[in-house]
Amino acid sequence: MTIDSIKTVAVLGAGTMGNGIAHVFARAGYYVLLRDVEERFLQRGMETIGKNLDREIKKGKLAENEKGTVLGRLKPVTDIAAIAAADFAVEAVPEKIDLKRAALMEADRLLRPEVILASNTSSISVTALAALTKRPEKFVGMHFMNPVPVMQLVEVIRALQTSDETFALTMQLCEKLGKKPVAVNDAPGFVSNRVLMPLINEAAFCVMEGVATPEAVDAVMKMGMNHPMGPLELADFIGLDVCLHILDVLHEGFGDSKYRACPLLRKMVAAGWLGRKSGHGFYSYT
Ligand SMILES: NC(=O)c1ccc[n+]([C@@H]2O[C@H](COP(=O)([O-])OP(=O)(O)OC[C@H]3O[C@@H](n4cnc5c(N)ncnc54)[C@H](O)[C@@H]3O)[C@@H](O)[C@H]2O)c1
């Protein structure tokens, strides 16, 4: 497989990340088979892509007459058999091992043997996911950031089994998407979450211990460290349940107490205070 032989890409999952990934591939000229399990999820994903393209037009990043061309490259499908035509595939189904296993094994069975299969997992071992397939050397992690059309970074995660060719081609493909790929070896939390989540956790400890209010913690980090968003604002945006889950993965993966989740964070998740999506987190969104 060479970079120029990739024309059609399958994206599994049309949710938050999947529709963003489909968007950037279609924008870069690739044909995209966007697969989800139900029509309504595809419809919602396509609507989001339409809105995000409009936003790019407003910002002058996309010509108005190009929107139709980009949308025309996207083919929403529920029939999994359709992905057999893909030259590259990215999985973005929910972060649940049973769903990942089912989706990856199905894709592995349908895709041509030379096709690279990438996962957008944010916390599951890419090495363990590669081992579920019959193409472990053609398996790689492609950790896009949310919102995908806006964020430059893709952490390209090398599983123990990933071949040099697979890795190099995936890095090249990210460049073709106009992204900035960064090479990272497979380890719990990769680099992004291993560095970010302890920051968020420590910010939560500051609030729990009464050191400062959420507003004050975020103000220190924004004005003092030039972070565009405070860590608690960011935690609310990511979802406190997602943050807690990743901290638990780091804690278990390293067996190191420095990753122990802040009890306040755990309590807030138990209360259903998940951040922006639930209307309440470190801040209120009513
Ligand atoms: N949301 C984020 O900020 C973020 C950031 C980086 C990475 N990730 C990772 O991206 C992946 C997807 O997360 P998300 O936030 O987009 O989830 P999401 O719940 O928004 O979307 C997942 C979609 O996958 C669909 N789906 C379920 N089973 C499927 C199958 N077998 N085939 C095709 N589609 C299927 C669901 O119907 C849903 O529409 C996860 O692994 C997550 O850890 C998320």
Side-chain angles (χ1 to χ4, degrees):
M1 205 91 202
T2 62
I3 191 79
D4 295 328
S5 60
I6 299 173
K7 310 271 186 227
T8 301
V9 174
V11 178
L12 310 174
T16 308
M17 297 305 285
N19 73 60
I21 296 166
H23 174 135
V24 297
F25 272 107
R27 263 296 249 122
Y30 292 93
Y31 293 98
V32 179
L33 300 160
L34 179 57
R35 200 261 164 166
D36 208 306
V37 287
E38 285 183 41
E39 201 63 51
R40 63 194 168 111
F41 300 136
L42 289 168
Q43 234 164 43
R44 196 180 51 192
M46 290 299 289
E47 274 166 26
T48 305
I49 295 173
K51 278 187 206 144
N52 288 337
L53 288 171
D54 286 339
R55 198 168 294 168
E56 289 181 7
I57 292 168
K58 249 187 217 147
K59 283 189 190 157
K61 289 182 175 168
L62 181 73
E64 202 155 357
N65 60 3
E66 275 183 74
K67 182 182 172 188
T69 314
V70 174
L71 288 174
R73 295 193 193 110
L74 288 149
K75 189 174 176 196
V77 295
T78 49
D79 178 14
I80 183 73
I83 72 159
D87 309 311
F88 191 95
V90 186
E91 167 275 312
V93 309
E95 192 79 341
K96 299 211 165 72
I97 187 63
D98 292 349
L99 291 176
K100 294 273 191 220
R101 186 185 297 116
L104 291 173
M105 288 173 76
E106 206 173 27
D108 185 36
R109 195 166 46 76
L110 288 162
L111 295 166
R112 299 192 308 281
E114 70 273 20
V115 170
I116 294 172
L117 177 53
S119 173
N120 185 50
T121 182
S122 41
S123 64
I124 302 173
S125 157
V126 178
T127 300
L129 293 178
L132 296 172
T133 71
K134 295 196 173 70
R135 65 184 79 217
E137 71 294 343
K138 297 214 173 297
F139 198 93
V140 68
M142 244 179 150
H143 191 208
F144 288 89
M145 305 290 129
N146 184 24
V148 182
V150 177
M151 301 296 276
Q152 280 203 308
L153 175 71
V154 183
E155 258 187 314
V156 181
I157 318 291
R158 186 170 192 143
L160 192 58
Q161 310 97 315
T162 309
S163 70
D164 290 346
E165 297 71 34
T166 297
F167 197 73
L169 200 142
T170 307
M171 295 283 287
Q172 248 183 309
L173 188 58
C174 290
E175 304 259 7
K176 283 228 162 197
L177 298 179
K179 299 291 181 196
K180 301 273 181 258
V182 175
V184 175
N185 285 317
D186 187 25
F190 316 133
V191 169
S192 50
N193 284 321
R194 181 175 181 170
V195 174
L196 174 64
M197 289 304 158
L199 171 71
I200 286 175
N201 203 37
E202 210 52 43
F205 270 113
C206 285
V207 174
M208 186 182 80
E209 293 169 8
V211 176
T213 61
E215 289 82 357
V217 171
D218 282 347
V220 167
M221 298 307 289
K222 282 194 282 192
M223 292 188 292
M225 319 300 159
N226 234 356
H227 287 201
M229 270 175 116
L232 298 172
E233 218 182 330
L234 181 57
D236 273 0
F237 179 76
I238 294 171
L240 301 189
D241 52 337
V242 174
C243 294
L244 178 63
H245 172 73
I246 297 172
L247 280 162
D248 285 342
V249 167
L250 290 168
H251 194 195
E252 198 193 315
F254 290 110
D256 189 330
S257 63
K258 76 177 173 186
Y259 300 107
R260 176 179 70 104
C262 170
L264 173 63
L265 187 62
R266 202 174 286 286
K267 209 180 196 178
M268 289 172 79
V269 172
W273 297 0
L274 309 180
R276 273 181 186 276
K277 62 186 168 191
S278 74
H280 192 156
F282 286 101
Y283 296 92
S284 183
Y285 302 91
T286 46

